[in-house]
Amino acid sequence: MNTSMHPEAGGKRRFPIAFEGIPFIAVAAFVTIYLAALGLGLGAWFFFALTLFVTWFFRDPERVIPEEKGAIVSPADGKIVYVDTVKDAFGLVSALKVSIFMTVFNVHVNRAPTAGTVTDVVYHPGKFFSANLDKASLDNERNAVFLDIGRGRKLVVVQIAGLIARRIVCKTKTGEDLRRGQRFGIIRFGSRVDCYLPSDAKPGVTVGDKVLAGASILGYLP
């Protein structure tokens, strides 16, 4: 397989922690130092461990992006929990839906599945069912990013909040051109991402597969 380094790398290494995690890390570290100064060793050790976990949770590693023609890469790290054709989803008459479930142990940075122009970003408030349940796609808080990927084709990526996750971050906007594998957002603390591919896309994963954002191929466009 032909590959290239992540298009955002530009030959330079990024800071390996997502910016959105800095406030959480700073608060946990501050409490650790404060408790240690008070001589509360047990509490200080607990928050020190929490600081390490939060820092690890918000890790943002570089990825090698496949160059294969027509490849659609995963927008998220996690486990494939759904692969099937659906009807009338997000304005698409028919689409191949691929769902990725993220636990708190996965990287939570989201990446663009393929190159395209953002035509709309739509946020829907909702509930917080466990993200591994099918009803989470329709009932949970979610944010949909619509991409025009050329040749009259559309693709939709939906960030979905989970039982623990209560904050969806989307850093892209209408009119922006995204590259395959480019970072566009993050979901904090356990969640799900649904990807709606054109109906003629050939799936490259099955339920139960583990995938990495930007590196694993979900499917191929003819």
Side-chain angles (χ1 to χ4, degrees), residues 66-147:
E67 279 188 333
E68 291 183 64
K69 183 178 180 180
I72 302 293
V73 300
S74 179
D77 284 30
K79 180 180 178 180
I80 302 296
V81 294
Y82 187 93
V83 181
D84 205 353
T85 301
V86 295
K87 305 291 184 182
D88 300 319
F90 294 94
L92 303 174
V93 176
S94 179
L96 174 64
K97 177 182 176 182
V98 182
S99 298
I100 305 106
F101 173 63
M102 295 180 281
T103 72
V104 294
F105 301 108
N106 295 121
V107 173
H108 273 55
V109 175
N110 301 140
R111 297 171 182 259
T114 189
T117 301
V118 179
T119 59
D120 204 0
V121 178
V122 181
Y123 170 78
H124 299 268
K127 301 177 182 179
F128 298 96
F129 293 118
S130 178
N132 64 327
L133 301 176
D134 288 340
K135 64 180 179 179
S137 292
L138 298 176
D139 294 336
N140 280 23
E141 176 187 4
R142 58 199 182 277
N143 185 74
V145 178
F146 295 77
L147 287 175

Side-chain angles (χ1 to χ4, degrees), residues 3 15 40 61 99 102 111 127 151 174 190 200:
T3 57
F15 188 62
L40 301 175
S99 298
M102 295 180 281
R111 297 171 182 259
K127 301 177 182 179
R151 295 167 55 192
T174 301
D200 59 349

Side-chain angles (χ1 to χ4, degrees), residues 158-177:
V158 187
Q159 300 168 286
I160 302 170
L163 186 63
I164 301 174
R166 300 297 175 98
R167 184 69 173 93
I168 295 172
V169 177
C170 181
K171 297 185 287 187
T172 191
K173 58 184 183 298
T174 301
E176 183 176 0
D177 291 326

Side-chain angles (χ1 to χ4, degrees), residues 11 18 54:
V54 173

